């Protein structure tokens, strides 16, 4: 194992790490429910759901069977010129569970690519309407939409490292991250900024792209539903499309099946990923309305995208089963219970000397510290406390699998206290 770890350190990149001075990586042998087993026999309670995705827990019997059954038929087949039941059934379900106007589905292999496709849809739509001058995107600071170039261009300009890629990134329009928190009245500065940007630039803007209600990897920030509905109203007034990136928030995480439901907002284009397959396989989707889908081809053109692993049958089969588990409905009570326990147990840290802010929404709990945290040192403290929590910058946060029980969640919230005391 030590040889393997050394090889890993020297030869394999992990997310956002240096090959010169990598952060440590802990070897995993298996995972089940809300627990991850390490090679040294230690069992960690998982606070991350493997980046929002493993909502039903690891090694779920019904998800396993969905994959096994599909595997006996075929693991993969190209989607160009061929189709299959797993894709058709999954598309039907996605159309059913998402807002009514979304009727057309593009499958792809990752969230970042689904954002690229959403951007292409918006650009091609205006192009086909003979409005090629509408080619810019408008977004809010503090966002995260993925790591490919199109997606990166609408990530927060500072923590998305636009400086480094300035020469090749398109210049889109940014307004400040909404100050208006959930449950508070719209801040006049938020309204003023977004309205004046629309008024000045709408002729150039193809679409607004936002993470609804919860901004994830860009800063774990929650904002009011009223802001989202206001943006939708402006989009309608100024003939601008609305793209909602529900890759992190979709499938129950915020307490609604999709976060846009908090605001009753229906986007023109929606990106899904992460939890779509229950965290089993990489697969994502971009959905759009009939107006946009048909508009894209108004000039006789085609939507210019077609990934190799588009609609992979194993991924579609497990995604379909994952959504079936959601439709059975247990997640609502689970997320509500996680939310109230997180609120109760994390609020005690609000007065901690190292803490700047504590916030919870749905099955998401965030403790924001005054200064950036030492990730490797905290990680070690957490692993010694038998939990898996991976902080970044000044954020220690939890978004556990929905199936986590009270005691395990308590272990996670306690461990955060241990981490804070060590700062
Ligand atoms: C993770 C994420 C993405 C990118 O998805 P990948 O599958 O990692 O490419 C895009 N948008 C949001 C909101 C995300 O959380």
């Amino acid at each position: 194992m030590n040889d393997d770890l050394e090889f890993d350190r020297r030869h394999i990149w992990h997310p956002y790490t240096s090959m010169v001075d990598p952060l440590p990586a802990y070897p995993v042998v298996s995972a089940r429910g809300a627990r991850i087993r390490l090679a040294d026999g230690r069992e960690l309670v998982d606070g991350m759901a493997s980046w929002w995705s493993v909502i039903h827990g690891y090694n779920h019997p019904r998800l396993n069977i969905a994959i096994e059954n599909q595997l006996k038929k075929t693991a993969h087949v190209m989607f160009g010129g061929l189709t299959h039941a797993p894709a058709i059934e999954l598309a039907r379900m996605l159309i059913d569970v998402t807002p009514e106007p979304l009727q057309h589905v593009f499958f792809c292999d990752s969230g970042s690519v689904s954002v690229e496709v959403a951007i292409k849809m918006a650009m091609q739509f205006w192009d086909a309407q003979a409005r090629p001058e509408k080619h810019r995107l408008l977004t809010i600071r503090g966002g995260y939409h993925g790591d490919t170039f199109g997606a990166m261009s609408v990530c927060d300009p500072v923590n998305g490292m636009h400086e480094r890629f300035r020469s090749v990134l398109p210049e889109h329009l940014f307004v400040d991250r909404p100050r208006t928190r959930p449950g508070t009245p719209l801040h006049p500065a938020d309204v003023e900024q977004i309205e004046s940007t629309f008024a000045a630039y709408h002729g150039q803007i193809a679409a607004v792209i936002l993470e609804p209600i919860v901004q994830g990897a860009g800063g774990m920030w929650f904002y009011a539903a009223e802001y989202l509905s206001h943006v939708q109203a402006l989009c309608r007034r100024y003939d601008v499309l609305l793209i909602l990136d529900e890759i992190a928030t979709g499938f129950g995480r915020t307490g609604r099946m999709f976060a846009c439901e908090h605001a009753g907002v229906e986007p023109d284009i929606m990106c899904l990923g992460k939890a779509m397959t229950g965290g089993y396989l990489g697969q994502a989707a971009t959905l759009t309305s009939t107006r946009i889908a048909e508009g894209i081809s108004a000039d006789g053109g085609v939507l210019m995208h077609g990934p190799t692993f588009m609609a992979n049958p194993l991924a579609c089969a497990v995604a379909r089963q994952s959504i079936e588990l959601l439709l059975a409905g247990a997640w609502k009570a689970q997320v509500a219970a996680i939310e109230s326990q997180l609120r109760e147990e994390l609020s005690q840290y609000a007065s901690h000397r190292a803490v700047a802010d504590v916030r919870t929404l749905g099955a998401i709990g965030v403790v924001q510290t005054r200064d950036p945290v030492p990730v490797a040192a905290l990680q070690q403290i957490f692993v010694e406390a038998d939990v898996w929590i991976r902080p970044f910058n000044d954020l220690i946060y939890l978004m556990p699998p929905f199936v986590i029980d009270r005691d395990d969640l308590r272990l996670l919230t306690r461990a955060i206290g241990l981490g804070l005391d060590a700062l």
Side-chain angles (χ1 to χ4, degrees):
M1 195 67 216
N2 282 342
D3 274 2
D4 283 352
L5 277 184
E6 189 50 29
F7 180 87
D8 185 295
R9 254 185 93 74
R10 282 179 187 277
H11 296 281
I12 313 178
W13 264 293
H14 286 260
Y16 314 105
T17 53
S18 145
M19 194 88 329
V20 177
D21 182 23
L23 286 166
Y26 295 86
V28 171
V29 289
S30 63
R32 181 174 293 277
R35 286 162 175 254
I36 299 172
R37 184 176 289 280
L38 298 185
D40 65 5
R42 210 180 257 283
E43 209 172 69
L44 307 183
V45 174
D46 178 27
M48 309 305 299
S50 285
W51 281 337
W52 316 81
S53 66
V54 184
I55 51 177
H56 307 295
Y58 300 90
N59 226 324
H60 192 287
R62 289 196 33 204
L63 298 180
N64 289 3
I65 287 171
I67 292 207
E68 283 163 18
N69 287 345
Q70 181 55 40
L71 187 57
K72 289 175 201 145
K73 297 175 188 157
T74 183
H76 185 61
V77 64
M78 67 188 277
F79 211 53
L82 298 174
T83 192
H84 46 77
I88 293 167
E89 287 163 18
L90 175 59
R92 273 194 212 284
M93 282 182 134
L94 292 176
I95 288 168
D96 253 21
V97 296
T98 54
E100 203 277 325
L102 303 172
Q103 293 291 323
H104 308 270
V105 184
F106 188 99
F107 288 114
C108 56
D109 35 22
S110 78
S112 300
V113 174
S114 79
V115 171
E116 300 292 331
V117 170
I119 295 172
K120 274 193 191 176
M121 283 177 176
M123 306 267 171
Q124 281 195 235
F125 173 79
W126 290 116
D127 214 42
Q129 313 304 303
R131 300 283 307 275
E133 73 284 0
K134 280 173 88 69
H135 66 281
R136 295 180 88 182
L137 299 169
L138 167 61
T139 187
I140 53 181
R141 291 177 187 274
Y144 177 78
H145 297 284
D147 292 342
T148 51
F149 276 88
M152 193 165 58
S153 70
V154 283
C155 288
D156 184 80
V158 178
N159 58 31
M161 293 199 300
H162 284 204
E163 275 305 305
R164 194 174 286 275
F165 303 105
R166 201 213 297 268
S167 59
V168 284
L169 281 187
E171 287 197 15
H172 295 310
L173 297 160
F174 289 85
V175 295
D176 287 339
R177 175 181 92 169
R179 297 161 189 70
T180 315
R181 292 189 165 207
T184 65
L186 264 181
H187 195 293
D190 285 345
V191 177
E192 195 283 318
Q193 219 192 10
I194 189 85
E195 285 188 352
S196 60
T197 307
F198 264 96
Y201 295 102
H202 64 91
Q204 306 174 17
I205 303 176
V208 172
I209 178 166
L210 298 174
E211 294 157 276
I213 314 297
V214 174
Q215 292 185 292
M220 303 296 293
W221 180 250
F222 310 149
Y223 66 88
E226 289 72 17
Y227 184 83
L228 190 57
S229 17
H230 192 62
V231 170
Q232 171 172 268
L234 291 170
C235 283
R236 290 188 175 158
R237 187 188 316 159
Y238 286 108
D239 213 6
V240 164
L241 305 184
L242 179 61
I243 303 173
L244 290 185
D245 177 349
E246 291 256 11
I247 293 167
T249 49
F251 303 105
R253 178 60 61 182
T254 69
R256 298 291 185 97
M257 186 67 114
F258 298 100
C260 62
E261 294 171 18
H262 291 281
V265 161
E266 298 181 332
D268 299 291
I269 301 173
M270 181 188 268
C271 300
L272 300 173
K274 291 203 162 98
M276 189 174 86
T277 63
Y280 266 59
L281 285 164
Q283 191 72 201
T286 314
L287 279 79
T288 193
S289 64
T290 300
R291 170 183 170 232
I292 306 306
E294 291 181 354
I296 287 168
S297 296
D299 63 353
V302 298
L303 180 61
M304 284 305 292
H305 219 93
T308 306
F309 291 104
M310 185 171 187
N312 170 263
L314 289 177
C316 290
V318 75
R320 192 184 57 185
Q321 184 60 60
S322 173
I323 296 170
E324 247 165 50
L325 289 174
L326 286 172
L327 291 176
W331 67 273
K332 286 182 193 157
Q334 290 166 339
V335 171
I338 292 170
E339 178 167 28
S340 63
Q341 194 181 343
L342 284 175
R343 188 159 291 152
E344 193 181 305
E345 293 175 8
L346 292 180
S347 63
Q348 59 180 309
Y349 301 133
S351 54
H352 193 284
R353 64 181 157 74
V355 171
D357 188 48
V358 175
R359 45 189 184 264
T360 51
L361 181 75
I364 311 166
V366 182
V367 175
Q368 185 160 14
T369 52
R370 294 190 185 281
D371 301 303
V373 299
V375 174
L378 268 192
Q379 199 114 82
Q380 196 176 344
I381 290 170
F382 291 142
V383 169
E384 277 162 18
D386 295 329
V387 300
W388 181 242
I389 303 171
R390 187 173 164 84
F392 71 96
N393 296 337
D394 55 355
L395 297 161
I396 306 173
Y397 62 100
L398 299 174
M399 42 201 197
F402 299 165
V403 296
I404 195 166
D405 66 31
R406 245 191 114 72
D407 292 344
D408 276 358
L409 188 55
R410 177 120 186 90
L411 223 59
L412 286 166
T413 59
R414 275 215 186 125
I416 288 184
L418 294 177
L420 291 173
D421 289 344
L423 294 178

